[in-house]
Amino acid sequence: MRDARPSLLELLARAGYGARGLTYCLVGGLAVLAAIGEGGRTGGSRSALATLLGQPFGRVLLGAVAAGLASFALWRVVEAVTDADRRGRSAKGLAVRAGHLVSGGLYGSLAVSVAATALGRGGGGAEDQAARDWTAWLLQQPLGAWLVGGVGAVVIAAGGAFLLKAWRGDVTRFLALPVDARPWATRAGRFGYAARGIVFWLIGGFLIVAAIESRSSAVQGLGGALRTLRDQPYGAALLGLTAAGLAAFGAFGLVQARYRRIDPPDLDPAAAARRVGLGR
């Protein structure tokens, strides 16, 4: 019989979903304010989280978010390696698990940057510039333009998967929700995945342009994608809708922190051996 008490890994995973949700709430909320002309900013995760420094106990709050993001990175890696969600070894399952592994690396990097900001040691530069830096490095490698184009194609494919999930996917598949919460959680999840899909398409498009032109300056991160929407015809509406979707994804992340089904693997070899022996 499974212990009713949550394991440390489950607690870390829930803290991670909460930290990711808060990050998206800040990114989306600040961009919504920018869209309606009430201040705010169209920036990425790092710049949005840096606004916490202006709050009481800001460095403590930022440090807690950094710890949560590191926890999420750890959970993503464990989730990918152990197949905690039982995705299987089909092409789709392996692709999802590979995406989780990449996600773990990206959130780990974000956690380090946010922790450095909390400690007053800088945050490693703006996200857009960081993306340009690694793109410039990649372009200098053999077949560098092809590599950058390949990354762009993968990002666009991920965006397409998010849009498909928003359209007809079961966004609450892994949630143990109360019946009355399912309708609004489904709407928030679909809206959020749609917004992420649009942003991923833009970022992937920037990478394709950089590959074609061998020009790393063409690359933009999340903040650059939001600014691109703002600069289009009807830009305020486009930015506002997308930003609201990102905020909705943040709210969905907070729901995940509370209600997601998390079945962490037993990483203790001795305990696993005992469990196998009892099952015989």
Side-chain angles (χ1 to χ4, degrees), residues 95-108:
V96 171
R97 291 169 64 184
H100 286 170
L101 195 61
V102 173
S103 174
L106 293 175
Y107 278 102

Side-chain angles (χ1 to χ4, degrees), residues 5 16 56 81 135 206 209 242 254:
R5 294 173 299 176
V81 172
T135 302
F206 295 141
V209 171
T242 305
L254 298 178

Side-chain angles (χ1 to χ4, degrees), residues 64-88:
V65 173
L69 292 172
S71 298
F72 188 71
L74 172 64
W75 169 245
R76 276 306 202 211
V77 172
V78 171
E79 194 177 22
V81 172
T82 67
D83 194 17
D85 282 335
R86 297 174 177 81
R87 303 279 184 175

Side-chain angles (χ1 to χ4, degrees), residues 23 27 41-49 127 221-224 226-227:
T23 300
V27 170
R41 63 177 68 181
T42 51
S45 301
R46 296 179 190 176
S47 61
L49 288 171
E127 287 175 303
L222 174 56
L226 293 175
R227 288 189 293 273

Side-chain angles (χ1 to χ4, degrees), residues 68-240:
L69 292 172
S71 298
F72 188 71
L74 172 64
W75 169 245
R76 276 306 202 211
V77 172
V78 171
E79 194 177 22
V81 172
T82 67
D83 194 17
D85 282 335
R86 297 174 177 81
R87 303 279 184 175
R89 293 182 175 274
S90 65
K92 180 180 178 181
L94 290 174
V96 171
R97 291 169 64 184
H100 286 170
L101 195 61
V102 173
S103 174
L106 293 175
Y107 278 102
S109 175
L110 177 60
V112 170
S113 176
V114 173
T117 301
L119 294 172
R121 298 176 182 174
E127 287 175 303
D128 289 348
Q129 186 58 51
R132 294 184 192 110
D133 289 343
W134 73 256
T135 302
W137 176 83
L138 203 57
L139 285 171
Q140 294 171 2
Q141 308 310 307
L143 301 176
W146 288 97
L147 291 173
V148 172
V151 173
V154 169
V155 173
I156 290 173
F162 288 146
L163 288 168
L164 185 62
K165 189 168 186 176
W167 177 36
R168 64 181 186 183
D170 184 3
V171 297
T172 60
R173 173 185 172 188
F174 293 105
L175 301 182
L177 284 168
V179 175
D180 58 344
R182 187 170 294 275
W184 66 261
T186 298
R187 287 191 290 270
R190 289 186 184 280
F191 190 20
Y193 276 107
R196 289 190 82 199
I198 290 170
V199 168
F200 270 56
W201 270 5
L202 288 170
I203 294 173
F206 295 141
L207 286 164
I208 296 295
V209 171
I212 293 172
E213 300 181 355
S214 294
R215 183 168 58 89
S216 63
S217 60
V219 174
Q220 303 283 346
L222 174 56
L226 293 175
R227 288 189 293 273
T228 298
L229 288 172
R230 180 195 61 193
D231 295 339
Q232 304 308 306
Y234 305 103
L238 290 173
L239 174 61

